Amino acid sequence: MPVSKMSVSKIEAIRALFPALTSQTYMSICDKMILADPVRQAVDNFLDKLAMASANRTDHEDFVESSRVKFAQMMSVKPDEVAVTRNVSDGVNAIAWSFPFKTGDNIVICTNAEHPNNIYPWLRLRERDIDVRIVPAINGRIDIDAMTAAMDSRTRLATVASVSFAPGYRTDTTKLGEYCQKKNIFLLIDGVQSAGILHHDLAQEPVDAFATSTSKGLLGLYGSGFMYINENWLDRLNPAYLSRTGVDLGSDDASAMGEHHYQLYASGKRFEVGSYNLAASYAADASLSLLNAIGTQAIETHVLHLARALREGLAKYGLRVSKPQQALEESHIITCGELDAGGHGFSHDARINEMHKTLLDANITHTLRRGQLRFGLHVYNNMADVEHVLSILNNMKS
C-alpha cells in the first residue's frame, strides 16, 4: 500500500524530534527505544507535578486511561480489552497463571525461535502437570504446520512471537490463529518486536491475546506495557494476583473496601495490580500520539521499504543475509551472518566481529544476536541511514 503524501510529510518531520539521531545512526529498535522530545517533555511534566504536589492520583491516572485508549486505537480493539502491564513478561505470566488448565492439558511452543521471556513461563507449567510440547524451528522460522501437527484434543494454548528477535522473520499468525480458532485453542502473541512498527488489526486477526512493552517500538519507557485480551476470553481467565485495582466496586477510590464477596472487572483491568508506573504512562500517552498521527500502516510501508534496500545492499557484500522466503515473512529487522554461530553480543565469525566493531566506531547503533549482526528500523529512519551503513561496510571491504 503506497504511503500518502501527508504520511510521508509526517514521517520526514518526526525524525527531528529524536535528539539521539544527531550523534548516531540508530538502527536498533529491536533492542530498545530512543525518546522523542515530546515523550521526554511528558515525563518532565509528570516529575514537575510530583515535585510540586500539583496533581492528585486520579489526575495522574488520566494518562493511564488515555494511553490505554490510544493503544487500543492503534490495535483496533476496545479499551476494555486492554490491560496496562509492566512488560511483556508480565503479560505472558498473567495469561499462563490465569488460564483454566487441567492436569493432562498441553500447550505448544517453538523454543528456538523465541525470546526466553516467552519460554520459561511455559516450561514452569510442567509443575502443574501440563504437557509442554516443543516444536523446533526450521532455519530460524516458526513452523506453523509443525505446530498444528503437534496439537490434539488436549491442546489448550499456543504461543508465538509476531516477529522473532533474531533472525527477524514475521510469523504467519493468521494461519496459526485460524487453526486455533477452529479447535478452540487460545493463541497468545508476544508482539514486542512488532507493536508500533508493523500494522496490527487485532479486531480482525485470529488472536486471543497480545502482550507487548512500551520500551521498543512504542517508543516509551521501560517497566510498562499493554496486553490485549479478546473480550470472549476475559471472564474465563482468573488472575493469579489481585489487588484493589482489579476489583470493580463501581468507584475509582483506590482505598475503598467493598464487601468480602467481590467482583473482578469485566475488562482487562482485572489483571492490573497496585499502583501504575505513572511516568511510563505519561510517556506512552505522548509516544502513542506521535505514532497514531502517522498510523502503523504507513509506518510499516516505510520501514519495509528501507529493510529491503538494506537487505539487498548487505547481500552484495557476499554476506549471508536472513532472507524472507515470501513477503509475509518480511519485517523491519535485518540480520546477517550464520544463525547461532555465536550468541548475545558475540560471533564465532571473525568477519562479523570486525564488521560489528567497524559499525560501532562509525556510531551506527546495532546489535549482535545469536551470532548475527542485527539491525532494526523504525519510523525515524530514512534511506540516508541505509546508505550510510552500506558505505561504511563498502569502505571496510575496500
Side-chain angles (χ1 to χ4, degrees):
M1 178 183 294
V3 181
S4 70
K5 290 183 179 180
M6 181 176 294
S7 293
V8 169
S9 176
K10 289 179 178 179
I11 288 172
E12 291 173 348
I14 202 171
R15 186 177 173 89
L17 300 178
F18 291 87
L21 301 181
T22 62
S23 61
Q24 62 190 291
T25 301
Y26 194 83
M27 305 186 80
S28 197
I29 193 62
C30 42
D31 182 35
K32 61 180 178 294
M33 74 298 170
I34 52 176
L35 293 184
D37 288 334
V39 179
R40 173 69 178 268
Q41 290 160 9
V43 177
D44 288 342
N45 179 32
F46 165 70
L47 294 175
D48 288 343
K49 290 179 180 178
L50 209 60
M52 301 306 296
S54 60
N56 59 32
R57 182 188 60 81
T58 55
D59 292 332
H60 289 309
E61 289 186 1
D62 285 344
F63 288 86
V64 176
E65 297 310 313
S66 179
S67 64
R68 186 198 311 273
V69 169
K70 290 174 182 177
F71 178 77
Q73 176 188 345
M74 173 180 284
M75 297 292 163
S76 300
V77 299
K78 301 173 184 176
D80 278 354
E81 295 177 302
V82 175
V84 177
T85 60
R86 292 176 294 180
N87 44 45
V88 179
S89 301
D90 192 25
V92 169
N93 277 278
I95 297 299
W97 293 92
S98 67
F99 197 86
F101 289 114
K102 295 180 181 178
T103 300
D105 287 344
N106 68 73
I107 67 168
V108 178
I109 61 175
C110 181
T111 56
N112 56 342
E114 289 281 1
H115 191 281
N117 288 346
N118 197 29
I119 297 173
Y120 286 113
W122 307 110
L123 295 179
R124 191 180 179 198
L125 289 181
R126 290 169 171 168
E127 299 172 14
R128 297 168 61 186
D129 293 324
I130 305 302
D131 180 14
V132 180
R133 298 184 174 181
I134 298 173
V135 175
I138 299 178
N139 297 323
R141 293 174 169 84
I142 292 175
D143 188 340
I144 301 301
D145 291 334
M147 289 193 74
T148 57
M151 298 175 183
D152 60 23
S153 61
R154 294 301 302 273
T155 304
R156 299 289 176 257
L157 183 146
T159 181
V160 293
S162 55
V163 175
S164 62
F165 75 102
Y169 296 132
R170 196 169 184 172
T171 305
D172 190 350
T173 55
T174 298
K175 180 179 180 180
L176 179 60
E178 288 174 348
Y179 182 89
C180 288
Q181 278 192 346
K182 291 177 184 177
K183 302 294 183 179
N184 196 30
I185 296 169
F186 189 97
L187 178 59
L188 166 65
I189 303 299
D190 171 357
V192 74
Q193 293 292 1
S194 63
I197 307 171
L198 304 180
H199 181 64
H200 287 282
D201 182 350
L202 296 180
Q204 300 299 320
E205 294 175 34
V207 168
D208 298 301
F210 181 103
T212 190
S213 77
T214 61
S215 62
K216 295 186 189 291
L218 296 184
L219 301 177
L221 301 184
Y222 290 108
S224 187
F226 298 99
M227 177 173 65
Y228 156 77
I229 314 99
N230 185 287
E231 61 185 356
N232 295 323
W233 276 95
L234 277 168
D235 286 340
R236 289 185 271 176
L237 301 176
N238 190 25
Y241 294 103
L242 184 62
S243 72
R244 167 65 184 87
T245 317
V247 177
D248 186 0
L249 296 180
S251 163
D252 63 357
D253 184 349
S255 302
M257 180 69 205
E259 299 295 328
H260 289 182
H261 298 287
Y262 58 86
Q263 180 176 330
L264 300 180
Y265 273 109
S267 68
K269 290 187 70 172
R270 64 173 48 202
F271 291 98
E272 297 171 5
V273 180
S275 299
Y276 296 101
N277 183 341
L278 295 174
S281 291
Y282 274 70
D285 184 64
S287 64
L288 288 167
S289 290
L290 289 175
L291 295 170
N292 284 345
I294 298 170
T296 50
Q297 286 183 318
I299 295 172
E300 175 175 322
T301 299
H302 174 70
V303 297
L304 292 186
H305 174 65
L306 298 179
R308 291 182 199 114
L310 180 57
R311 192 181 304 116
E312 291 167 5
L314 291 169
K316 290 178 181 178
Y317 298 123
L319 291 169
R320 181 172 183 148
V321 181
S322 296
K323 185 176 180 181
Q325 292 180 338
Q326 52 186 321
L328 183 67
E329 286 187 337
E330 285 188 294
S331 83
H332 59 293
I333 298 176
I334 306 94
T335 51
C336 59
E338 187 74 32
L339 183 65
D340 290 326
H344 189 104
F346 70 95
S347 173
H348 299 313
D349 185 332
R351 187 184 183 201
I352 292 294
N353 287 325
E354 183 183 2
M355 293 172 65
H356 177 54
K357 183 179 185 305
T358 299
L359 291 167
L360 291 179
D361 288 345
N363 292 322
I364 297 171
T365 306
H366 66 291
T367 52
L368 269 174
R369 291 293 183 271
R370 299 179 71 182
Q372 294 182 304
L373 285 177
R374 184 180 69 158
F375 305 91
L377 305 171
H378 206 342
V379 63
Y380 45 73
N381 289 114
N382 60 18
M383 195 57 71
D385 292 338
V386 172
E387 291 169 352
H388 181 49
V389 170
L390 298 177
S391 172
I392 294 295
L393 294 177
N394 185 57
N395 291 338
M396 174 185 167
K397 181 182 177 183
S398 60

